[in-house]
Amino acid sequence: MTLTINGEKKSFEKTSLNIRNLLELLDLPLDHIAVELNRSIIPKSQFAETPLADEDVIEIVRFVGGGKSSPSGQLII
Amino acid sequence: MIKVNEQFLQYDENTSLLNLRDAIKPNADIIIYNGFPVPIDQSVHDGDEIVFIKRGEIPSQEELETLMVSRHSPGVHERVKKSVVGIAGQGGLGSAVAIALARLGIGTLVLADFDIVEPSNLNRQQYFVHQIGQTKVQAIEENIRMINPYVHTEIHHIKLDEKNVPQVFKDVDILVEAFDRPEMKGMLVNSFFEHFPDRYMVCASGLAGYGDANLIQSQVFGERLYIVGDRHSAASPGQGLMSPRVGVVAHHQANKVLQIILGENQ
C-alpha cells in the first residue's frame, strides 16, 4: 500500500497494516510521538486497532525534550 | 471628552486636575497626566488621559477588569473570562504561559507540576529567589495573585500520568503542554485526546539554545493539536535552555490559546 507520511509518499509491501505496525516498521519510539490520520489525532491506545488503507495521509509528530537532561533529539518528521 | 481611569468622561471647561480627583477618587495620591506623573494642579483639555492612583491600593475586581478591558480589543475580555485553561508543567514554558494568561484575565487556570523551585530554574522560569524550595504550583499561584488576584486558580502538586491526566484536566477547554521530557509530551497528547477528542491542545517541541528565534513556528495537526517550536532543538550538553527562546515559545503558546478562545485559530 502507499501512504503519505509527513508529506512524503511511501510504499509498503504489506497489504494490511495498522498504526502500531507502521511505527514499528519506521522504528519510531511509541512514547515520544503523536499520530494524526486523515486529520484526526489517534490516541496511542488505539494504534493497534486502527487499520491503515491505501492512500491514507499520516502525520507523525516526534517530540524533543526541553528541560533537564534529555537525550539529544532528532529532526522530527 | 477626556479619559479618566480608562473611562471616557464629559468635562467642564474650568475643571482642574484637583477638582477631578476630589470628584472621582479623593484618596488618590498619584496623578498620571497624559502618561506622566504630575506634582501640581493644572487645567484639563479635550483628549487628555488621566489616571488617579492610591499608592498600594488593590483595585476591586470590577475596577481591575474595567482597566484590563480598556487595553484589550473589544469583545475579548468576555470570552477570555469564561475560559478554563490547563497547563501541564510549571517550568520555563508553563510558568511563562501561566503569567501571560493571568495578565490576559483568563477565568480559570488549572496548573499541575510535581517539582520544587531550585536555584538553577531562575535563569528562565518565572519565579523569584525567595521562592526557592517552594512547590512550583504554590509559587506560581502566589505570583499570579500578585498580578491579577481575580484569576481563579486550581493547583495540583502531582506527577501527571496517563491515569490522572483525565481527572486533573477534566474541566479545561484548552490544555497547554509545558513538559520537558519527550515521553511526557507524548503521554499527555495521547491521554488527553483519548478522553477529550473535541478539545484543544497547544504543545511545544524544540526550544533549546539560542538559535534564531524566527525559526520558532506553530503548526497544526488535525484540527485541534498545535505544536510550537523549531521542532528539533532538544536540550543537550552544549545546547542549554535559556530564557529568551523559552519565552518566545511560551508566548507563542499563550497567543495560540487566545486565538483558539476567540475562534481565530484557523
Side-chain angles (χ1 to χ4, degrees):
Chain A
M1 69 173 79
T2 302
L3 302 170
T4 303
I5 301 174
N6 295 345
E8 272 180 46
K9 280 199 189 286
K10 286 196 174 164
S11 295
F12 295 88
E13 285 177 15
K14 298 195 177 187
T15 51
S16 157
L17 272 180
N18 62 41
I19 291 181
R20 193 191 166 93
N21 304 145
L22 174 70
L23 296 172
E24 285 166 355
L25 278 177
L26 297 173
D27 203 19
L28 284 169
L30 296 185
D31 288 340
H32 295 202
I33 59 172
V35 175
E36 180 210 342
L37 173 63
N38 302 330
R39 303 198 54 75
S40 294
I41 303 293
I42 309 294
K44 188 177 156 192
S45 62
Q46 292 168 27
F47 285 175
E49 300 147 25
T50 308
L52 296 169
D54 199 33
E55 304 288 307
D56 270 348
V57 178
I58 300 158
E59 295 282 339
I60 301 169
V61 184
R62 183 173 177 179
F63 290 104
V64 295
K68 292 159 188 165
S69 54
S70 54
S72 89
Q74 300 210 343
L75 194 69
I76 319 154
I77 64 171
Chain B
M1 201 72 117
I2 55 172
K3 201 173 176 189
V4 180
N5 287 13
E6 307 293 342
Q7 287 180 309
F8 288 102
L9 285 184
Q10 298 284 2
Y11 75 109
D12 192 304
E13 283 289 312
N14 302 315
T15 308
S16 73
L17 281 178
L18 287 183
N19 299 147
L20 263 182
R21 182 193 68 177
D22 292 344
I24 291 170
K25 196 170 174 66
N27 65 351
D29 46 19
I30 297 170
I31 302 173
I32 315 281
Y33 178 70
N34 292 332
F36 294 94
V38 287
I40 44 158
D41 198 17
Q42 58 191 80
S43 56
V44 300
H45 307 281
D46 197 36
D48 281 349
E49 292 193 15
I50 300 150
V51 182
F52 295 115
I53 297 171
K54 166 72 182 155
R55 197 192 305 267
E57 181 185 75
I58 297 176
S60 70
Q61 180 164 9
E62 198 184 345
E63 208 179 336
L64 188 64
E65 285 181 358
T66 308
L67 299 172
M68 286 177 44
V69 170
S70 70
R71 294 297 161 103
H72 287 161
S73 308
V76 167
H77 187 72
E78 297 299 302
R79 281 185 275 177
V80 162
K81 199 182 162 188
K82 279 190 221 144
S83 305
V84 182
V85 179
I87 307 176
Q90 284 300 316
L93 289 172
S95 60
V97 173
I99 283 176
L101 296 182
R103 289 192 195 279
L104 266 181
I106 295 283
T108 301
L109 292 173
V110 180
L111 309 165
D113 195 293
F114 70 93
D115 217 353
I116 303 281
V117 179
E118 294 175 41
S120 67
N121 299 151
L122 297 178
N123 84 324
R124 66 193 185 284
Q125 305 189 14
Q126 302 299 318
Y127 300 108
F128 298 95
V129 174
H130 76 271
Q131 293 178 317
I132 290 169
Q134 283 186 37
T135 66
K136 288 185 178 175
V137 286
Q138 281 173 326
I140 198 70
E141 186 177 55
E142 187 178 298
N143 297 346
I144 289 169
R145 288 279 163 277
M146 288 193 285
I147 292 164
N148 184 345
Y150 306 114
V151 170
H152 180 67
T153 48
E154 183 186 313
I155 60 172
H156 298 265
H157 184 228
I158 193 172
K159 187 163 174 59
L160 290 165
D161 59 35
E162 56 197 10
K163 291 195 188 72
N164 59 32
V165 161
Q167 181 56 32
V168 169
F169 296 115
K170 63 184 188 308
D171 297 323
V172 308
D173 308 311
I174 304 167
L175 179 58
V176 174
E177 176 275 311
F179 284 143
D180 44 12
R181 301 217 313 273
E183 64 274 20
M184 290 293 284
K185 292 170 184 280
M187 178 283 291
L188 193 73
V189 172
N190 285 298
S191 175
F192 188 71
F193 279 122
E194 176 152 13
H195 291 86
F196 310 113
D198 297 334
R199 304 195 199 170
Y200 289 92
M201 271 192 82
V202 183
C203 300
S205 189
L207 48 97
Y210 47 86
D212 192 346
N214 291 323
L215 297 175
I216 290 166
Q217 296 188 325
S218 68
Q219 200 173 346
V220 63
F221 289 84
E223 287 164 356
R224 296 173 179 276
L225 170 62
Y226 291 86
I227 298 184
V228 175
D230 68 16
R231 315 246 336 264
H232 71 267
S233 296
S236 59
Q239 178 86 317
L241 290 161
M242 280 159 281
S243 164
R245 220 158 181 262
V246 171
V248 170
V249 172
H251 286 84
H252 252 276
Q253 287 185 288
N255 190 53
K256 188 54 72 183
V257 168
L258 179 59
Q259 286 188 310
I260 293 168
I261 291 169
L262 300 178
E264 290 172 18
N265 48 309
Q266 298 308 326

